[in-house]
Amino acid sequence: MPNQRRTKAYVIDTNVLIHDPSAIFNFEEHQVVIPMTVLEELDKLKLSKSGVSMECRQAIRNIDKILGEASPEEISDGVAIPAATEKHGYLSVLMDKPVSQSTVLPNDLNDNKIINSLIFLQQQRPKTQIVLVTKDINMRLKARGCGIAAEDYHNDQLVSDIESLTKGFHEFKNSFWDTINKVETAHEPGRTVHKIARSELGKDVFVNQYIVDEQGFVARICDMNDEQVTLWDRSRDHLMQQQAWGLTPRDIYQAVALDLLLDPDIHLVNLTGAAGSGKTILALAAAIDMTVSQNRYTRIIATRSVRGLDEDIGFLPGTEAEKMEPWLGAITDNLEALHMDDESTNGSIDYILQKVPLHFKSLNYIRGRSFQKSLIIIDESQNLTPHQMKTIITRAGAGSKVVCLGNLAQIDTPYLNATSSGLTYLNERFKGFPLGGSIELQGVPRSALAEYAESHL
């Protein structure tokens, strides 16, 4: 199929392939163009110590899978991208703009080289709409300023507004039962359940969401089908009095979060909320309780994504745990909070660290491993891409549990925002998972100062 007959060509930037190494397969019947400068950047990063080296290697393998046996002419014109349907796209490589041609932008930056090449390509193919796909906002602005269409990569953005994400609970004013016309109550071994018509709720409901009202009724959705929803009646007093390593919840939102954390049948818990809402201390208290007191897990693995950490960890002196400990200060800070009333806080923490098999792991060391009977805490997970999130979640072996903690209002990773974060992706993809649950904690119980700062700064 000649290039001239293709009316749209998507040019992929390096950061898109790092964000999603399989991005080239997601443009349906359109042509996908990889600039030579992007291949050079991928080649430079693939052997680096950075945390994106794995994504670069995967992207290169995907490109080679399509172009590996093609001739130079075919690579320039476009090689068919394998697809499940008859509609498939074409992949080609764009050479840099010829030196003899004048440039619009200085060629001192790779971004400028790519944009100059696109301007030249647009001149050569005036009937083709050239679209630059990049997660770099400034590059999109520069491209548009030069007359080239540019857009963000949206394929893995499942929601356009994070307000539409499930909070993990539905709140009702006054009494929940005032809104229900018919209910069937049954007493099963160890619990009471209520069965109501799904149409009665009038909301998007999922398994392991909670129903909370102002009259003190709390229930968890334990089963559902197209016609009926089964509610597991959870005593509010019982939830508020439950303990994990001496920690009791301060409000009903922390209580339902702790309910999910301590449930052996829940394998994935996703806790979001503002800074100081109690995400880390709840997860840590539950983890220690289930590991030490209940012997349910053999170890606790704590990890987080920190920009610069993966580059530095190989050169710093000390063991992996010693290198990771400064970056996981939130864990040790919360250990202090759990034992602040002890006679010797430092002695208690040293005792716990000796007794509890708590391991601090870098993301680079987690890849390729399988953790059996482990409780994995992923702190600051809003800074992970969907691909990185998948890489970590799939490390969970038999008998393991994963707890993801994050605040979508505090994203530090370049090219990520609240809608493209791996935490948002996880929340949306797993909202119907029967062995998982998600809770958005409310308020800032940390302190009056922290609460005021969260709402006013």
Side-chain angles (χ1 to χ4, degrees):
M1 181 177 181
N3 273 339
Q4 289 75 10
R5 291 178 58 191
R6 299 174 203 150
T7 59
K8 184 177 284 188
Y10 289 99
V11 182
I12 311 302
D13 192 17
T14 309
N15 51 57
V16 173
L17 293 172
I18 291 174
H19 182 81
D20 181 4
S22 300
I24 58 177
F25 299 104
N26 298 327
F27 289 87
E28 299 177 346
E29 73 274 17
H30 302 292
Q31 183 171 10
V32 178
V33 180
I34 307 294
M36 183 61 70
T37 302
V38 169
L39 290 179
E40 291 173 350
E41 288 184 332
L42 291 175
D43 187 59
K44 181 180 179 180
L45 291 170
K46 72 180 183 182
L47 297 177
S48 69
K49 297 286 186 180
S50 70
V52 301
S53 58
M54 176 181 157
E55 283 80 5
C56 291
R57 291 192 295 270
Q58 183 61 51
I60 292 171
R61 284 193 292 268
N62 289 336
I63 296 171
D64 179 65
K65 190 184 300 181
I66 300 171
L67 302 181
E69 302 298 327
S71 66
E73 292 77 13
E74 290 172 328
I75 292 175
S76 178
D77 186 61
V79 179
I81 299 173
T85 63
E86 292 184 1
K87 287 186 177 182
H88 60 81
Y90 294 82
L91 178 65
S92 61
V93 173
L94 174 65
M95 300 299 295
D96 288 339
K97 181 199 65 60
V99 178
S100 60
Q101 298 293 322
S102 60
T103 60
V104 176
L105 298 174
N107 265 330
D108 56 337
L109 299 174
N110 283 342
D111 288 356
N112 292 354
K113 290 181 182 178
I114 294 173
I115 293 174
N116 284 332
S117 296
L118 298 190
I119 295 171
F120 180 73
L121 178 64
Q122 187 72 82
Q123 294 170 350
Q124 298 298 306
R125 296 168 56 182
K127 294 183 179 180
T128 301
Q129 181 184 1
I130 308 298
V131 181
L132 172 65
V133 182
T134 176
K135 301 198 72 62
D136 186 337
I137 297 176
N138 194 56
M139 188 178 181
R140 292 202 297 267
L141 293 174
K142 288 200 291 185
R144 290 167 185 158
C146 294
I148 300 297
E151 61 184 50
D152 194 1
Y153 178 69
H154 295 290
N155 184 263
D156 56 4
Q157 294 184 19
L158 303 179
V159 295
S160 58
D161 184 1
I162 60 171
E163 294 299 322
S164 64
L165 291 174
T166 174
K167 293 184 177 181
F169 56 85
H170 295 289
E171 290 185 286
F172 290 82
K173 291 186 177 181
N174 299 317
S175 174
F176 164 72
W177 296 113
D178 291 343
T179 66
I180 304 301
N181 295 316
K182 184 180 179 181
V183 60
E184 296 180 9
T185 300
H187 298 283
E188 298 179 352
R191 67 180 187 177
T192 300
V193 298
H194 309 287
K195 296 183 179 181
I196 61 176
R198 183 167 182 173
S199 58
E200 293 264 43
L201 288 177
K203 298 176 180 286
D204 291 332
V205 293
F206 306 98
V207 174
N208 294 323
Q209 283 185 329
Y210 287 83
I211 304 294
V212 180
D213 72 10
E214 294 179 344
Q215 300 298 315
F217 175 72
V218 183
R220 190 206 295 185
I221 299 174
C222 59
D223 192 20
M224 62 183 296
N225 54 41
D226 293 338
E227 304 296 330
Q228 193 176 65
V229 174
T230 302
L231 303 179
W232 176 12
D233 197 326
R234 307 291 287 143
S235 167
R236 188 186 187 99
D237 290 339
H238 169 75
L239 291 177
M240 292 300 296
Q241 292 171 9
Q242 62 185 334
Q243 288 193 1
W245 203 247
L247 180 74
T248 55
R250 295 190 177 185
D251 55 38
I252 190 59
Y253 311 105
Q254 288 192 357
V256 295
L258 200 56
D259 188 44
L260 288 178
L261 288 168
L262 295 175
D263 190 334
D265 295 324
I266 300 296
H267 297 170
L268 173 69
V269 179
N270 185 11
L271 296 185
T272 60
S277 57
K279 303 181 295 293
T280 306
I281 197 167
L282 285 170
L284 185 61
I288 296 175
D289 193 83
M290 290 185 290
T291 304
V292 177
S293 301
Q294 303 177 33
N295 294 318
R296 193 177 299 162
Y297 304 104
T298 58
R299 58 184 169 177
I300 302 169
I301 297 171
T303 187
R304 68 181 294 184
S305 174
V306 179
R307 180 167 170 77
L309 170 61
D310 294 321
E311 289 91 338
D312 298 337
I313 191 170
F315 302 99
L316 293 173
T319 65
E320 179 191 1
E322 291 170 338
K323 297 172 191 176
M324 286 297 298
E325 191 168 354
W327 300 101
L328 286 163
I331 302 295
T332 51
D333 288 347
N334 282 282
L335 273 177
E336 290 183 8
L338 287 171
H339 293 272
M340 62 187 302
D341 294 329
D342 292 0
E343 184 175 342
S344 173
T345 301
N346 291 334
S348 296
I349 293 173
D350 291 339
Y351 172 76
I352 291 300
L353 290 175
Q354 291 174 6
K355 188 172 183 180
V356 177
L358 177 60
H359 305 287
F360 295 155
K361 294 291 182 184
S362 165
L363 289 179
N364 267 5
Y365 290 93
I366 282 182
R367 289 187 170 107
R369 300 190 61 181
S370 179
F371 299 111
Q372 314 297 325
K373 292 197 68 177
S374 303
L375 196 146
I376 305 169
I377 298 176
I378 309 172
D379 198 17
E380 304 290 345
S381 58
Q382 76 274 5
N383 289 319
L384 297 173
T385 68
H387 183 260
Q388 289 173 325
M389 184 67 80
K390 178 180 178 180
T391 300
I392 300 173
I393 298 294
T394 52
R395 298 305 96 207
S400 289
K401 184 168 190 162
V402 177
V403 179
C404 296
L405 314 174
N407 178 8
L408 290 170
Q410 295 184 348
I411 296 178
D412 305 316
T413 303
Y415 312 131
L416 276 186
N417 55 36
T419 55
S420 63
S421 166
L423 182 59
T424 300
Y425 188 82
L426 180 75
N427 188 302
E428 189 68 11
R429 282 293 191 193
F430 278 81
K431 63 186 179 182
F433 181 49
L435 302 179
S438 176
I439 295 294
E440 181 182 319
L441 297 174
Q442 307 294 302
V444 186
R446 176 178 291 168
S447 68
L449 173 61
E451 183 174 12
Y452 190 85
E454 183 67 27
S455 59
H456 289 79
L457 293 182

